[in-house]
């Protein structure tokens, strides 16, 4: 069964949207098979966002992701990688489609980094790599 790694980013926790996002995931029919609230350290975030290490927004995104507790999840279901990305919507919340998590619940707050509530793995290979980072015993 396919799995994906989802993060409810610190803005989701701060804004009290954990329940709303989990509701959408469960209503869609995906199964939550691991869930943990924690504060991410720099090492974990560096590994998680390794593909973006050279990007100009890297330091900002690490600061954002370290700004408070987040919730890490593993979801399971047929084509869940693609399906959660579809639920999440486009990276930029201003243009993310209404009906998506980012389109309905996120916006531009004028911060240098894009605060968009959720992360979802972008391929089954990324999911395996990211699940090993966040849930090494899984
Ligand atoms: N991000 C940002 N500025 C950018 C691009 C991305 O702050 O110009 C942040 C944003 O929070 C995004 C994360 O870095 O979710 C990872 O970027 P990616 O392009 O992988 O987007 P995603 O896969 O999350 O949609
Ligand atoms: Mg990505």
């Amino acid at each position: 069964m396919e799995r994906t790694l989802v993060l409810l980013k610190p803005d989701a926790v701060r804004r009290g949207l954990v329940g709303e996002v989990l509701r959408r995931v469960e209503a869609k029919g995906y199964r939550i098979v691991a869930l943990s609230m924690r504060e991410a350290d720099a090492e974990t975030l560096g590994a998680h966002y390794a593909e973006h290490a050279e990007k100009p927004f890297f330091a900002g995104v690490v600061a954002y992701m370290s700004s408070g507790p987040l919730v890490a999840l593993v979801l399971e279901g047929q084509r869940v990688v693609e399906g959660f990305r579809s639920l999440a919507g486009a990276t930029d919340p201003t243009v993310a489609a209404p009906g998506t998590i980012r389109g309905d619940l996120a916006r531009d707050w004028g911060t240098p980094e894009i605060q968009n509530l959720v992360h979802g793995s972008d391929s089954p290979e990324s999911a395996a790599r990211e699940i090993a980072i966040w849930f090494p015993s899984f």
Side-chain angles (χ1 to χ4, degrees):
M1 184 66 73
E2 190 168 288
R3 289 176 172 170
T4 194
L5 186 279
V6 168
L7 300 175
L8 311 186
K9 298 181 178 185
D11 51 332
V13 175
R14 223 164 10 242
R15 293 183 53 212
L17 292 170
V18 170
E20 171 63 17
V21 175
L22 295 182
R23 187 194 65 73
R24 290 175 181 227
V25 164
E26 291 192 312
K28 179 76 171 172
Y30 297 131
R31 205 158 71 86
I32 299 168
V33 296
L35 184 152
S36 152
M37 178 177 270
R38 64 191 69 185
E39 300 211 12
D41 58 32
E43 189 188 337
T44 301
L45 291 171
H48 177 77
Y49 281 127
E51 65 169 320
H52 296 310
E54 307 305 321
K55 306 269 177 65
F57 61 83
F58 179 73
V61 90
V62 169
Y64 160 44
M65 295 296 288
S66 312
S67 66
L70 55 71
V71 178
L73 316 168
V74 178
L75 304 183
E76 194 173 83
Q78 282 81 7
R79 299 177 67 193
V80 66
V81 168
E82 183 187 0
F84 181 78
R85 298 275 294 185
S86 176
L87 282 184
T91 304
D92 176 354
T94 299
V95 301
T100 65
I101 293 165
R102 290 162 168 174
D104 287 349
L105 306 172
R107 53 164 283 196
D108 187 336
W109 299 95
T111 55
E113 76 288 349
I114 298 171
Q115 301 203 8
N116 53 10
L117 300 174
V118 292
H119 165 84
S121 308
D122 63 10
S123 68
E125 296 70 33
S126 297
R129 192 184 74 81
E130 293 170 2
I131 289 168
I133 292 167
W134 292 92
F135 294 96
S137 64
F138 201 67

